[in-house]
Amino acid sequence: MSGGTTDGDGDDVLEVEFRFQRSAYPFVRVSAVADCTLELAEFLPRADGEYAEFFTVTDADPERITALAAEHEGTEASLVETYRDGGLFEFLVSDDCPARRLAELGALPRTVRGAAGRGSIVAEIPTEADAAGIVGTFLEETPEATLASKRSKPSMTPLLSRATLHRTLEAELTDRQREVLQTAFEAGYYDWPRECTGEEVASKLGISSATFSEHVHAAERTLIATLFDER
């Protein structure tokens, strides 16, 4: 493959796509019941094995989306931003989520989409990982999923790029939020695999883990909402 310079080390990663039909997972079920489209905007790890999945939802009443997501055990949904034809939601998931399970196995979900009751997840698997083992384990544990495609691609995109952060840090975040988010970024909190925990970043800042979580979560929500407003 040829192309421009990347931020990675030049090694290829494996990109895999899984598809889901008639699934009870919220991003699939909600799209069927509410006749709408859900697309992953960002996927961020939280403490205690939880993940925050930011979804844009189009062609749906935001209140109905929150209610439908809440019916799924292990999922909490909150509205971040309202748009004319939908909104940006944060889904906090703790179990029974295919994107979360892929992340635990060592893959990084990049695209999660649900439309008309059909779902798909595109994930990246780093070079050093056991790709066959990850795919095999996921398919064995997730009978609703089928492997639709796999291909090699150069480098691996970071969860949040340095360029993206600097475009909005100055204008939209408080000084404290900016300090916390920048420290976390530079420490490798947003690398994949993650190079440090939230507790370690909190220690660097001289604050408690709870205070770190409060600041970093507020900053992430502001940043993601701002990016979608600009789009």
Side-chain angles (χ1 to χ4, degrees):
M1 293 183 182
S2 62
T5 302
T6 66
D7 292 332
D9 57 8
D11 291 336
D12 283 359
V13 298
L14 183 67
E15 182 182 83
V16 293
E17 179 181 1
F18 299 96
R19 291 181 182 169
F20 305 78
Q21 285 186 283
R22 295 183 296 278
S23 172
Y25 294 127
F27 75 100
V28 182
R29 178 176 176 270
V30 170
S31 76
V33 176
D35 191 22
C36 62
T37 299
L38 294 85
E39 294 186 271
L40 183 70
E42 191 60 80
F43 181 84
L44 299 171
R46 295 288 193 239
D48 302 323
E50 292 184 326
Y51 285 84
E53 300 174 358
F54 291 86
F55 277 91
T56 57
V57 181
T58 53
D59 300 322
D61 176 9
E63 291 186 3
R64 190 179 188 197
I65 298 303
T66 303
L68 286 172
E71 294 175 2
H72 188 83
E73 186 176 353
T75 300
E76 298 178 24
S78 59
L79 180 63
V80 178
E81 194 84 7
T82 301
Y83 304 132
R84 183 176 60 184
D85 59 348
L88 175 66
F89 293 80
E90 179 183 5
F91 289 70
L92 189 63
V93 297
S94 57
D95 56 19
D96 194 25
C97 170
R100 173 182 179 272
R101 183 55 182 146
L102 280 169
E104 290 176 339
L105 290 171
L108 176 57
R110 278 301 175 193
T111 301
V112 181
R113 188 174 191 272
R118 297 180 180 180
S120 65
I121 296 179
V122 177
E124 294 176 351
I125 302 176
T127 308
E128 64 274 12
D130 176 11
I134 291 173
V135 171
T137 299
F138 180 74
L139 290 174
E140 182 178 350
E141 295 179 352
T142 316
E144 302 96 329
T146 57
L147 179 62
S149 66
K150 58 181 179 179
R151 69 183 184 92
S152 294
K153 57 177 288 188
S155 82
M156 199 163 187
T157 311
L159 278 173
L160 289 176
S161 72
R162 186 179 298 274
T164 296
L165 285 172
H166 281 288
R167 279 198 299 269
T168 54
L169 280 175
E170 292 298 327
E172 300 298 333
L173 303 184
T174 66
D175 290 343
R176 190 53 166 165
Q177 289 174 345
R178 188 160 54 246
E179 178 189 11
V180 170
L181 198 61
Q182 184 170 352
T183 301
F185 183 88
E186 293 175 348
Y189 181 77
Y190 291 108
D191 289 347
W192 198 272
R194 177 179 281 179
E195 292 185 3
C196 69
T197 65
E199 289 78 6
E200 291 170 335
V201 180
S203 179
K204 288 178 180 288
L205 290 163
I207 59 178
S208 68
S209 296
T211 300
F212 167 77
S213 295
E214 178 184 347
H215 285 305
V216 79
H217 294 177
E220 289 168 355
R221 288 171 66 101
T222 299
L223 178 61
I224 292 169
T226 301
L227 291 175
F228 274 86
D229 284 343
E230 290 178 349
R231 290 179 187 178

